[in-house]
Amino acid sequence: MRNINHVRLNCGITMPLIGFGTYSFPNDRNTTELAVHNALEMGYRHFDTAKIYGSEAAVGKAVNEAICDGEVEREHIFLTSKLWGSDHHDPVSALKQTLENLGMEYVDMYLVHWPVKLKPWVNYPVPNEDDFEKLDLETTWVGMEKCLEMGLCRSIGVSNFSSKKIQCLLNYASTPPVVNQVEMHPMWRQERLRKICADHKIHVSAYSPLGGPGNAWGSTAVVNHPIIQSIALRHKATPPQVALSWGLSKGSSVIVKSFNQARMKENMGSFDLKLDNEDILEIEKLEEMKIMRGEFHVNETTSPYRTIEELWDGEI
């Protein structure tokens, strides 16, 4: 099995630098199970899921089958799941349900999916205007810390948090987040956020490191950019490998999502590509463009965020 690079998180545990994302729409359990089995064979060991993805059961079944068959040991697997907005009132119960879905005793990392609280019955990805509740992240975080204390997870973190939200969280957190999982790619480089997180030893993990092509909200702008394509040509690599290598060069981990076997192998090949300083400088001149903007969490009446700028605290 190929040796997968890891990063050590601020709590002391290590996490593989390339994670396998399991979001798909519509989600098909059999397709997801097969993709996870294929990913395990290729050397992927970090699997990223979430309640709202609907993929927890499929991920758990495939990983448990591999463990039972002696193909892999549980301690060599890193499982991430996420707290949906409808569960902010009780993270412990939410994580217990996730563990039941997965058929696992613990997850390695549990993240607050968005800084948004929804009514308890909102189990769909795009909330309606009257689905929002008043956000109290301090209380949510106490619940996340309780999950950690109870041994239901090995680490806790956040996702889609701006620099300001990270700093606010650190004002009251007894246990700081280990990770902030955010959109990051060569056209959305997150320099300020990366610096703030680094100052507090919070690891930045990049989702949509290729710009999310294939998703309804995604874009091919990153992999089709002439600069990315010319760098790929120069290194006899592919544009996705260039984008992933750039993220890894910034000390970030990346969550890649493709169930296509050729793409899955290609993504793992990004470890073998080393960009030079000229490549990095070219990439850092690219015009910035945020793709996952989160408009569905913004409205002028019930959401805590009246505008996109408020959701991201101007970092957009």
Side-chain angles (χ1 to χ4, degrees):
M1 188 191 78
R2 104 183 261 128
N3 178 35
I4 296 185
N5 295 326
H6 288 65
V7 60
R8 188 168 296 278
L9 304 176
N10 64 28
C11 63
I13 70 173
T14 60
M15 178 178 79
L17 279 169
I18 289 192
F20 187 75
T22 61
Y23 169 80
S24 63
F25 183 80
N27 182 264
D28 179 78
R29 181 166 176 162
N30 292 335
T31 304
T32 304
E33 280 180 32
L34 179 60
V36 172
H37 276 297
N38 289 336
L40 282 162
E41 285 181 19
M42 292 178 200
Y44 288 90
R45 292 295 178 264
H46 178 187
F47 295 91
D48 181 88
T49 181
K51 171 185 175 174
I52 205 65
Y53 297 171
S55 61
E56 288 175 335
V59 171
K61 185 167 184 286
V63 171
N64 275 315
E65 284 174 355
I67 292 169
C68 288
D69 292 345
E71 295 168 19
V72 69
E73 294 177 29
R74 172 63 183 94
E75 54 265 37
H76 296 152
I77 296 290
F78 195 98
L79 284 176
T80 296
S81 195
K82 308 181 191 79
L83 178 84
W84 185 237
S86 58
D87 294 316
H88 276 235
H89 63 288
D90 192 357
V92 170
S93 294
L95 181 47
K96 283 181 176 177
Q97 182 59 57
T98 278
L99 294 175
E100 190 176 318
N101 295 344
L102 286 164
M104 295 286 172
E105 293 181 359
Y106 66 91
V107 292
D108 298 275
M109 189 161 67
Y110 196 44
L111 306 179
V112 177
H113 204 152
W114 285 88
V116 172
K117 185 177 183 181
L118 303 169
K119 289 175 178 169
W121 58 82
V122 183
N123 293 321
Y124 36 87
V126 179
N128 299 314
E129 191 161 345
D130 57 356
D131 288 341
F132 293 87
E133 289 196 348
K134 183 175 170 56
L135 180 65
D136 178 7
L137 270 175
E138 187 167 356
T139 301
T140 300
W141 196 250
V142 168
M144 296 291 286
E145 290 173 335
K146 185 73 175 168
C147 292
L148 190 62
E149 288 164 21
M150 293 174 68
L152 303 176
C153 55
R154 296 173 68 216
S155 63
I156 52 176
V158 296
S159 180
N160 297 301
F161 272 48
S162 66
S163 304
K164 182 179 176 182
K165 288 180 178 64
I166 287 285
Q167 290 170 314
C168 288
L169 174 58
L170 291 170
N171 287 335
Y172 50 74
S174 299
T175 302
V178 298
V179 156
N180 186 13
Q181 190 186 105
V182 295
E183 177 188 343
M184 180 178 141
H185 47 73
M187 295 180 73
W188 190 248
R189 296 183 288 279
Q190 298 276 24
E191 279 100 343
R192 181 165 184 266
L193 181 69
R194 282 193 280 118
K195 183 182 186 311
I196 297 281
C197 287
D199 288 346
H200 297 283
K201 297 183 170 58
I202 298 167
H203 177 75
V204 173
S205 185
Y207 73 71
S208 300
L210 308 179
N215 292 313
W217 52 266
S219 169
T220 57
V222 175
V223 292
N224 285 345
H225 197 286
I227 296 293
I228 299 296
Q229 293 195 333
S230 70
I231 292 171
L233 199 61
R234 200 153 61 229
H235 287 280
K236 296 183 172 62
T238 66
Q241 287 173 336
V242 170
L244 294 176
S245 182
W246 174 82
L248 294 168
S249 77
K250 294 300 170 185
S252 296
S253 55
V254 293
I255 306 296
V256 290
K257 191 256 129 183
S258 175
F259 290 179
N260 176 289
Q261 288 193 62
R263 285 278 168 83
M264 289 158 67
K265 285 180 182 170
E266 178 185 321
N267 291 338
M268 287 297 270
S270 59
F271 275 131
D272 302 323
L273 172 61
K274 295 288 180 277
L275 300 179
D276 56 39
N277 288 339
E278 183 186 339
D279 300 327
I280 302 290
L281 286 171
E282 278 191 65
I283 287 170
E284 293 184 356
K285 289 177 189 167
L286 297 182
E287 184 180 351
E288 299 233 39
M289 177 182 74
K290 181 159 180 56
I291 296 167
M292 168 52 94
R293 296 166 63 84
E295 290 98 336
F296 49 89
H297 286 314
V298 172
N299 68 58
E300 294 184 356
T301 54
T302 57
S303 170
Y305 311 111
R306 298 295 191 256
T307 64
I308 285 286
E309 285 71 25
E310 283 183 20
L311 175 60
W312 301 107
D313 296 303
E315 294 173 22
I316 192 161

